[in-house]
Amino acid sequence: MKLGLRKTLALEAFRLYRHSQAKSHPLTYLFWECTLRCNLRCLHCGSDCLVEAIPDMPREEFLRVLDSLAPHVDPKRLLVVLTGGEPLMRADLEECGRGIMERGHPWGMVTNGLLMTPERHAALLDAGLRNLTISLDGLEESHNRFRGNPHSFDRAVRALELAVRTPGLTFDAMTCVNRRNLPELPEVRDMLVRMGVPRWRVAIVFPKGRAKGNPLFELSDREFRGVYDFIRETKKAGKIRVDADCEGFLGSYEKEARSYPFFCRAGINVGSVLCDGSISACPSLRGDYVQGNVRRDDFWDVWQNRFQVMRDRSWARVGDCAKCRFWRYCEGSGLHLRDGKTGELAYCQCRRIEAGAE
């Protein structure tokens, strides 16, 4: 796999930027896992979501975290994103959003859309909602099977239609690829274009949570590469802004299947407060990556002093990574693909893309 001179020069410049960001680590993106309750039982869920889950974090507790950050960050430059579970399960979601807005932060959320009615949509906008990601995982039959609810597809489409009709709302559709919906991607794309959806993210499900060991998510190398071929061709067509999710370095597909070079910003620009108060980076990083807890630690102190494992990735240069010619641009792939205790990598994007051409 060859990068070419222009791409190599661009990646070298971005490498310097990435190291500068790791050194200064400005917090610009804060996830709040506001609930682990969910109204679906998705086949790929990596969040330990249960019908009877641990109690929601009280909104006052999270708002105190924002108050503690006030002396250190410009709230206009720190986007707060509510995730779960399913945020719409919270009856006080509007109050949560209003409290975030009153502290000067833009906020958004990730939702399956099942509970998004026109009335709820309007109320959330009044509470400051400015950013939204809506999951759409295939055509109707595939999506409903994947999400475990016969109404899930229609509600997700309704949520997207509401977003399309909302001036000033930044939003995208998010599709998790599996062996069943892979052939449907062209039809999903065409549907989103007809609806007027401006942005689409496409992700390959990684082997954690319920997805681990499920053959539905075990794409062959050829299928794996085919996902990035599809994204690249869709980007060239220019009818919708589509990007591969930020999972790992893509080799020669960098800047072709994604609009920006690979950068795992976990612990560098991205932090999170999990439902039990744990302090981590993106919510996909749990267990060994947890750096503290807001119930006993000051978030800013933790952010400043305990995220070195995410800012210096030299520990991940083991196994195949130790001799990889792309290490300087990848630095061990997305941390959600790597075991924080053993350093083991679930799989390498580049190697799978290369193998898919054989």
Side-chain angles (χ1 to χ4, degrees):
M1 184 181 290
K2 296 182 179 180
L3 297 179
L5 180 59
R6 282 186 67 183
K7 191 169 293 184
T8 298
L9 292 173
L11 290 171
E12 285 291 340
F14 195 79
R15 175 175 174 267
L16 297 176
Y17 164 75
R18 191 175 69 242
H19 286 183
S20 172
Q21 287 288 291
K23 185 177 180 179
S24 60
H25 49 268
L27 179 65
T28 60
Y29 211 91
L30 180 61
F31 282 101
W32 176 28
E33 187 181 65
C34 64
T35 182
L36 280 176
R37 293 180 296 138
C38 191
N39 47 13
L40 296 178
R41 188 169 177 80
C42 305
L43 298 177
H44 72 306
C45 183
S47 291
D48 304 332
C49 299
L50 303 169
V51 174
E52 297 295 333
I54 66 173
D56 297 350
M57 175 181 282
R59 66 178 182 272
E60 294 82 6
E61 188 171 13
F62 179 72
L63 294 176
R64 282 196 295 271
V65 174
L66 294 184
D67 290 338
S68 74
L69 292 175
H72 309 290
V73 302
D74 178 353
K76 294 183 178 61
R77 296 178 179 271
L78 177 56
L79 175 67
V80 177
V81 179
L82 278 59
T83 185
E86 170 51 48
L88 288 170
M89 293 286 286
R90 288 191 68 128
D92 68 343
L93 187 61
E94 289 81 356
E95 287 78 6
C96 294
R98 191 166 290 107
I100 296 168
M101 177 180 65
E102 288 171 351
R103 286 159 175 80
H105 296 274
W107 71 274
M109 69 175 182
V110 180
T111 179
N112 60 42
L114 193 67
L115 296 178
M116 186 67 87
T117 62
E119 296 77 17
R120 196 88 195 266
H121 181 77
L124 290 167
L125 292 173
D126 287 342
L129 178 68
R130 293 294 177 267
N131 192 289
L132 188 61
T133 291
I134 301 161
S135 298
L136 185 73
D137 296 306
L139 301 177
E140 184 168 9
E141 183 180 350
S142 295
H143 177 95
N144 288 345
R145 180 173 181 270
F146 188 56
R147 294 279 168 175
N149 186 296
H151 307 293
S152 180
F153 177 83
D154 287 341
R155 302 291 176 79
V157 169
R158 180 176 68 180
L160 284 167
E161 290 173 341
L162 289 168
V164 167
R165 296 198 295 267
T166 305
L169 180 65
T170 299
F171 74 98
D172 59 9
M174 174 79 167
T175 298
C176 293
V177 179
N178 57 73
R179 303 195 79 174
R180 182 184 179 94
N181 69 11
L182 177 58
E184 300 175 354
L185 290 181
E187 291 180 78
V188 174
R189 173 198 60 206
D190 294 346
M191 180 184 71
L192 293 174
V193 170
R194 287 194 303 271
M195 291 172 62
V197 175
R199 297 176 183 85
W200 184 27
R201 275 186 295 150
V202 177
I204 292 176
V205 178
F206 52 95
K208 284 190 177 181
R210 295 179 194 148
K212 190 172 184 177
N214 187 333
L216 181 67
F217 304 109
E218 295 174 356
L219 301 184
S220 69
D221 290 335
R222 187 176 295 276
E223 290 170 328
F224 192 93
R225 183 185 179 108
V227 173
Y228 295 106
D229 284 333
F230 168 79
I231 296 171
R232 182 170 61 180
E233 293 308 309
T234 298
K235 286 185 77 67
K236 287 180 180 177
K239 294 182 179 180
I240 187 171
R241 175 174 170 169
V242 61
D243 283 299
D245 204 29
C246 55
E247 192 161 303
F249 182 72
L250 303 179
S252 62
Y253 285 68
E254 285 292 317
K255 295 288 287 180
E256 295 179 17
R258 205 166 33 218
S259 302
Y260 42 87
F262 168 67
F263 186 2
C264 180
R265 294 180 181 268
I268 296 174
N269 303 122
V270 178
S272 70
V273 177
L274 303 183
C275 199
D276 64 355
S278 294
I279 300 171
S280 187
C282 73
S284 296
L285 297 181
R286 314 178 88 87
D288 296 321
Y289 289 104
V290 167
Q291 303 301 309
N293 193 292
V294 298
R295 290 167 181 164
R296 63 174 182 269
D297 301 307
D298 176 70
F299 186 96
W300 185 251
D301 178 66
V302 173
W303 178 257
Q304 291 292 83
N305 298 302
R306 299 194 200 173
F307 278 80
Q308 196 60 20
V309 67
M310 304 181 196
R311 294 167 188 164
D312 179 358
R313 307 285 177 91
S314 58
W315 60 271
R317 198 168 188 175
V318 296
D320 290 336
C321 291
K323 55 183 182 294
C324 180
R325 67 189 188 277
F326 295 135
W327 166 264
R328 63 193 293 107
Y329 311 129
C330 175
E331 295 193 353
S333 194
L335 286 182
H336 64 286
L337 292 177
R338 190 175 289 276
D339 188 289
K341 184 176 292 185
T342 67
E344 182 180 358
L345 185 65
Y347 58 79
C348 168
Q349 238 84 358
C350 270
R351 289 172 68 88
R352 294 206 63 187
I353 289 172
E354 285 183 327
E358 297 173 357

